Structures are given as C-alpha cells and as structure tokens.
C-alpha cells in the first residue's frame, strides 16, 4: 500500500538561491520544473531513487505561512488506501489525475497536517523527467 515518502513540499522566497543551495551545496539533482505560462514557478529535486523535495515560490502557495506545506506518501493504490481510511472511520480524499500525470488524493491527519497521496503512472513527471505544465 504505502511505498514510502514521495516528497515534502517547501515554500521558498527565491527559487534560484534555493536551487543553488540544494544542487551546489548538497549535490541534489533536479528532476523537473513546474511551469505556468512559460515561467518556472517550482521544481522537484531527487533525493535518492524514489524520493523528492518539491519547492514552490511562496506566492504560489495559498495554504498558509509555514515553509513546509505538506508531505506526500507514495502508494501503489490510492483506492486501497481510501478503503482502509474509510474502514478506520476517517475521511478519504478524492482521487484525481494531477498535472504531473500522477494520481493524487488529499487527506488531513488529526492535527491538521496536510498529506498528499501519490500513485505514479508510466507518464508521471517523476518517472519521465518531463516538465509539469500547470
């Protein structure tokens, strides 16, 4: 069911400074960009083979002031996770196709932590490295 942590989403003030720190300082590799109207508004960095850090400009995130917006769990079946959540008495997230060509659903833990569920497809940007056009 749950395969691991897919990514952690972080809001940043300056994408270029952030990219430089994580690439030059920590040696992480860029996986792909998020592009809106021809402009890069965020990006993914690889942390190992199946884990990522996701960065967006602060002004792109409408969910609050904290630098960490949410974390994302990779699953092989959002449907199975939703069944398990419902059976345990918790609200389930609506499964939908994301702009990155991965299935996703959103849930919230008892303390209000936002959790994204990701189920990759063969066309997912995480697998192809293609830019995610929003």
């Amino acid at each position: 069911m749950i395969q691991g942590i897919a990514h952690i989403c972080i809001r940043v003030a300056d994408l270029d400074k952030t990219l430089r720190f994580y690439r030059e300082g920590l040696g992480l590799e860029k996986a792909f960009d998020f592009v809106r109207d021809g402009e890069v508004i965020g990006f993914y960095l690889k942390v190992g083979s199946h884990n990522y850090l996701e960065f967006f400009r602060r002004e792109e995130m409408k969910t609050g002031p904290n630098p960490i917006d949410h974390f994302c769990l990779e699953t092989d079946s959002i449907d199975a996770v939703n069944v398990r959540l419902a059976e345990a008495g918790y609200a389930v997230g609506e499964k939908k196709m994301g702009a990155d060509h991965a299935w996703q659903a959103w849930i919230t833990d008892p303390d209000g932590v936002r959790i994204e569920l990701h189920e990759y497809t063969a066309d997912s940007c995480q697998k192809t490295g293609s830019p995610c056009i929003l």
Side-chain angles (χ1 to χ4, degrees):
M1 251 209 281
I2 299 297
Q3 307 294 305
I5 294 176
H7 67 261
I8 297 171
C9 179
I10 303 168
R11 297 180 183 100
V12 300
D14 186 313
L15 286 175
D16 292 333
K17 285 182 182 178
T18 299
L19 182 60
R20 184 174 180 273
F21 174 81
Y22 284 93
R23 281 179 77 175
E24 293 179 24
L26 294 177
L28 300 182
E29 178 184 340
K30 187 187 269 190
F32 63 88
D33 290 320
F34 289 96
V35 180
R36 179 181 288 134
D37 299 326
E39 181 181 3
V40 175
I41 61 164
F43 54 84
Y44 253 43
L45 295 179
K46 292 181 182 181
V47 183
S49 61
H50 291 2
N51 307 108
Y52 302 92
L53 292 175
E54 177 182 59
F55 297 92
F56 280 101
R57 294 186 312 211
R58 282 189 187 138
E59 58 269 20
E60 298 297 330
M61 307 298 289
K62 309 292 188 219
T63 54
N66 294 329
I68 296 180
D69 181 72
H70 66 273
F71 71 90
C72 179
L73 297 173
E74 179 185 351
T75 178
D76 58 357
S77 175
I78 288 174
D79 294 330
V81 173
N82 277 343
V83 167
R84 183 182 178 112
L85 285 165
E87 287 175 350
Y90 297 106
V92 300
E94 176 188 352
K95 180 179 173 180
K96 61 182 181 180
M97 182 58 68
D100 60 357
H101 306 287
W103 290 106
Q104 62 178 249
W106 289 86
I107 57 176
T108 304
D109 83 357
D111 290 302
V113 175
R114 292 168 18 97
I115 303 168
E116 182 180 10
L117 302 173
H118 254 197
E119 181 181 332
Y120 298 132
T121 68
D123 295 328
S124 297
C125 296
Q126 293 84 348
K127 294 195 179 262
T128 66
S130 298
C132 180
I133 308 299
L134 303 174

